[in-house]
Each structure stands twice: as C-alpha cells, then as structure tokens.
Amino acid sequence: MKYFYVETIDGSKLKVAKYVLGSTAFPGLKDDEKVFEIIDRFLELGGNAIDTARSYGGELDQRSFGLAEGYIGRYIRARKCRDKVIVITKGGFPELNPDLSFKRLRISREAILGDFYTSYDNLRIGPIDIYLLHRDNPSLPVSYIMDTLHEIVDSGCVKAIGVSNWSMERILEANAYAESKRKAKLTVSEIMWGYAYINHEMRKDPSLSIMNPELYKQYEKHRIPILAFTSQSGGLFPMLHKGIETWETLSPIRKIFDCPENRAKLLKVNEYCAKYGVSAAALVTAYLACNKVECAPIIGCMSIEELEDTMSGSDLNLDQATIDWMDDVKYQS
C-alpha cells in the first residue's frame, strides 16, 4: 500500500493510505452488518481512511443527510478502533436540482458551522481528522471563509482542514491569508479526477473542480495532495471491459462519459489488462495512486468482491512511462 501525508494543525502529519474508502454507497446497503463487513475488509487490505460528508445519504432531500456519517460513527464505536480509522468529512454542500445539476452554493458562516457541528455530533468520534468544504464561493472574500474555518480550528474539534472543488488560485490565496494571520493552512484538496475524461458541460455543474491539463500542471507545481472523487467514473471501464455493458447500453450514471476520448482510453485499458492480467478497476485506480501528482483515489463499492477487485490496484506499481502511455489520448478542447 502506498501512502501520502496530510499536515495537521499542530504540525504533525496524518499518514493516509492511498486508497480511501468512499461512503456514498453505505446508505444503499441499508444494513450495519453489511457496511461493517466492507469496512472490516477495507482495513484488512491496508486502507485506513474513509471519506464521507454531511450530505451523503440515500436521497437528495436533507432528511437523509448524515446517513453515511452515522454508519461510520457506529462502526468506530462498535469496533473500538478510533485510532485505526482516519475520518474525512465535508460540509457546505450546494443545493442541486433533481437531475443533480447545480442550483446554488451554500457557503456562509452559518452553513459551514452548522454543517460541521452537525457532522461532529452525528459521528460521535471526538475530533474529526480532516474537514473539507464541499465548494468555494468565489464571490466571497477568501478571508471570510478562512476566518470561519478557523473558528472550527480554534474549537479543537478538527485535526486538519482542506477544501473540495476549489481552484488552485483560491487555495493559494487562502493559505497566504492564513500564513499572514499565523493560522492553519489548507493542506489537502478534493477534486474530480479519474482516468475517464469529463468536463463541466458533461457533468452539468460549473462549481466542480475537474482535473484537466492546466490544473494538472498547477498541482504538479504546488504539491498539494489530492483526494480524487469519481475516481472510478461510475465503474465505466470495468463494466465495458467485462462486457457487462457496451457503449450503446451504458446506464445513465456511465453514459455521461461516452465521448471519443474515453472510447480511445478503453482500448488502452483493454490492452494493458490483457497483457498483464490485471482488472480494469485495479488499473484505473492505480493510475491515480501511482501518479507523480500526489493523489489518493476515493473508491466506492457495494460488495466485498467489488472492494477486493479495486483494492488489488494497491499492489500495482505503474511507472511513469506507463502513465504517459495511458495519457496519450487527446482531450477535447
């Protein structure tokens, strides 16, 4: 298992395994025992961090918010394993339309503090290891947002802070402000990144930070570790590689990825998997974990079999030549 390090508020470092277990599927399992089995196996396979959020539930409306956090909190208390699990949670989730397209931002002092302390009370695990804001609001001064985050820092209820879907410019501005005030900096960033190509038009959410060549260069330069969500692109390549679906029969969650770039990338996946006898799920996540830009893919699964298949990628060591070969597909302009 590969690792990366997240700097904490007190100057120490959290050692995070480079495969992070996502929790959006937990509410769909509707059973503590099933969720606990998956987390047990994840830890056995070398993982140590779980990504969740106040907004992760079974439905879009807020009545289901916090369901995923509830499973994680109950697991940690039942297994008495607080020191073995790094919990990453998020607040400030935007309002979305029923088709999951963007509606409006929810970044305000009231929303941020309300979401954080609701998550804190819901998890019931003591200080949260890493807390992220789900979005930025570029119309607000970065000082306003950072001052609000520092209220949480000063409470002693969090160990490290970061952001999700922020531009590199705003992250750097925020950290310059924090340094000027001798306050905690943002030390980790969560963005949308997988081997499959996607852009804002395809995703219908302009507030997302989606990896592209320009952004890649910025992360390569500034060396801020990335947590990659949608790292498996909804299972696109495994489903196509196994022949369970075709480009013509893709389910809606995967159909948004249908474009010439991804059709070309599937050929690369098929070629590599056939040559080296690895699974598509292992390959596309190893692509991120082995990247020269520090990245941990957030993985999702509905079964032990899916988890084991994906986690087998943690044993893959892709060299730079292989990653360059996988990247040798033109992006859309």
Side-chain angles (χ1 to χ4, degrees), residues 82 87 116 120 125-130 156-159:
R82 181 65 189 95
V87 176
F116 175 81
Y120 185 88
I125 58 172
I128 293 168
D129 296 295
I130 302 173
C157 294
V158 69
K159 297 178 184 178

Coordinates of all heavy atoms in Angstrom, one line a residue, residues 82 87 116 120 125-130 156-159:
R82 N -11.0 3.8 17.0 CA -10.8 5.2 16.6 C -9.4 5.5 16.1 O -9.2 6.3 15.2 CB -11.2 6.1 17.8 CG -11.0 7.6 17.5 CD -12.1 8.0 16.4 NE -11.9 9.3 15.9 CZ -11.2 9.6 14.8 NH1 -10.7 8.7 14.1 NH2 -11.1 10.9 14.4
V87 N -10.9 9.7 9.5 CA -12.3 10.1 9.0 C -12.1 11.5 8.4 O -11.7 12.5 8.9 CB -13.3 10.2 10.2 CG1 -14.6 10.7 9.6 CG2 -13.5 8.8 10.8
F116 N -20.7 21.6 10.1 CA -19.6 21.0 10.8 C -20.1 20.4 12.1 O -19.8 19.2 12.4 CB -18.4 21.9 11.1 CG -17.4 21.3 11.9 CD1 -16.4 20.5 11.4 CD2 -17.3 21.5 13.3 CE1 -15.4 19.9 12.1 CE2 -16.4 20.9 14.1 CZ -15.4 20.1 13.5
Y120 N -20.1 16.6 13.5 CA -19.4 16.3 14.7 C -20.3 15.5 15.7 O -19.9 14.5 16.2 CB -18.9 17.5 15.4 CG -18.0 17.3 16.6 CD1 -16.6 17.1 16.4 CD2 -18.5 17.3 17.9 CE1 -15.8 16.9 17.5 CE2 -17.7 17.1 19.0 CZ -16.4 16.9 18.8 OH -15.5 16.7 19.9
I125 N -17.2 10.7 17.4 CA -15.9 10.0 17.5 C -14.8 10.9 18.1 O -13.7 10.6 18.1 CB -15.5 9.6 16.1 CG1 -15.4 10.7 15.1 CG2 -16.4 8.5 15.6 CD1 -14.8 10.4 13.8
G126 N -15.2 12.1 18.6 CA -14.2 13.1 19.0 C -13.8 13.9 17.8 O -14.4 14.0 16.8
P127 N -12.6 14.5 17.9 CA -12.1 15.4 16.8 C -12.1 14.7 15.5 O -11.7 13.6 15.4 CB -10.7 15.8 17.3 CG -10.7 15.7 18.8 CD -11.7 14.5 19.1
I128 N -12.6 15.4 14.5 CA -12.6 14.9 13.1 C -11.2 15.0 12.5 O -10.5 16.1 12.7 CB -13.6 15.7 12.3 CG1 -15.0 15.3 12.8 CG2 -13.5 15.4 10.8 CD1 -16.1 16.2 12.2
D129 N -10.7 14.0 11.8 CA -9.3 14.0 11.4 C -9.1 15.1 10.3 O -8.2 15.9 10.4 CB -8.9 12.7 10.8 CG -9.0 11.6 11.9 OD1 -8.1 11.7 12.8 OD2 -9.8 10.7 11.9
I130 N -9.9 15.1 9.2 CA -9.8 16.0 8.2 C -11.2 16.6 7.8 O -12.1 15.8 7.5 CB -9.2 15.4 6.9 CG1 -7.8 14.8 7.2 CG2 -9.1 16.4 5.8 CD1 -7.2 14.0 6.1
G156 N -10.9 23.1 18.6 CA -10.2 21.8 18.9 C -10.9 20.6 18.4 O -10.5 19.5 18.8
C157 N -11.9 20.8 17.6 CA -12.7 19.7 17.1 C -12.3 19.1 15.8 O -13.0 18.2 15.2 CB -14.2 20.1 17.0 SG -14.9 20.5 18.6
V158 N -11.1 19.5 15.3 CA -10.7 19.0 14.0 C -9.1 19.0 14.0 O -8.5 19.8 14.7 CB -11.2 20.0 12.8 CG1 -10.5 21.3 12.9 CG2 -11.0 19.3 11.5
K159 N -8.5 18.1 13.2 CA -7.1 17.9 13.2 C -6.4 18.6 12.0 O -5.3 19.0 12.0 CB -6.7 16.5 13.3 CG -7.2 15.8 14.5 CD -6.8 14.3 14.5 CE -7.3 13.6 15.8 NZ -7.0 12.1 15.7

